[in-house]
């Protein structure tokens, strides 16, 4: 799994073939979200992996980067070949890339 900074993550999710996976809870996404993200909370990921393409580049996002790293490692253990996560999560994204996204 690759650990990406905000600029690298932004470049990855701009790709047409990349899947943006947000592993936060729905109530967190109501506060701050990136458009086009697939929301599968970390606690549900094991049961819902079949909703994702294991061949597609997967860009995982959470609040501060802890859950997204855990999710990425889980995906890799289950055959996903191109997994990255945003170090610092949406919190760093809202400070560095898009200050319009609320911090919480």
């Amino acid at each position: 799994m690759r650990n990406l900074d905000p600029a690298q993550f932004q470049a990855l999710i701009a790709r047409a073939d990349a899947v943006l996976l947000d592993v936060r809870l729905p109530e967190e996404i109501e506060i701050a979200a990136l458009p086009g993200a697939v929301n599968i909370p970390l606690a549900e990921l094991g049961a819902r992996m079949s909703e994702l393409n294991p061949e597609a580049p997967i860009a995982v996002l959470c609040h501060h980067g802890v859950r997204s790293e855990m999710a990425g490692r889980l995906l890799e253990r289950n055959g996903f070949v191109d997994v990255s996560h945003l170090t610092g999560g949406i919190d760093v994204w809202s400070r560095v890339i898009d200050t319009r996204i609320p911090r919480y």
Side-chain angles (χ1 to χ4, degrees):
M1 178 176 52
R2 293 175 295 156
N3 300 310
L4 303 181
D5 66 30
Q8 294 168 317
F9 195 81
Q10 184 178 39
L12 175 58
I13 64 174
R15 291 177 41 185
D17 62 338
V19 175
L20 174 57
L21 173 62
D22 194 325
V23 296
R24 295 176 299 141
L25 297 171
E27 53 267 25
E28 293 177 278
I29 291 172
E30 287 179 22
I31 298 168
L34 295 184
V38 173
N39 176 228
I40 302 176
L42 179 59
E44 299 174 16
L45 185 58
R48 295 179 58 191
M49 268 188 238
S50 63
E51 297 174 29
L52 302 169
N53 177 356
E55 302 297 319
I58 307 285
V60 191
L61 170 73
C62 70
H63 189 196
H64 287 115
V66 176
R67 286 175 284 177
S68 61
E69 184 172 2
M70 292 170 61
R73 301 226 181 271
L74 177 62
L75 291 169
E76 284 182 323
R77 285 193 305 272
N78 284 277
F80 287 75
V81 295
D82 188 358
V83 181
S84 303
H85 92 104
L86 176 58
T87 303
I90 199 163
D91 186 68
V92 74
W93 180 275
S94 67
R95 285 186 281 125
V96 175
I97 301 293
D98 189 351
T99 57
R100 296 169 299 171
I101 294 179
R103 294 182 66 209
Y104 64 100

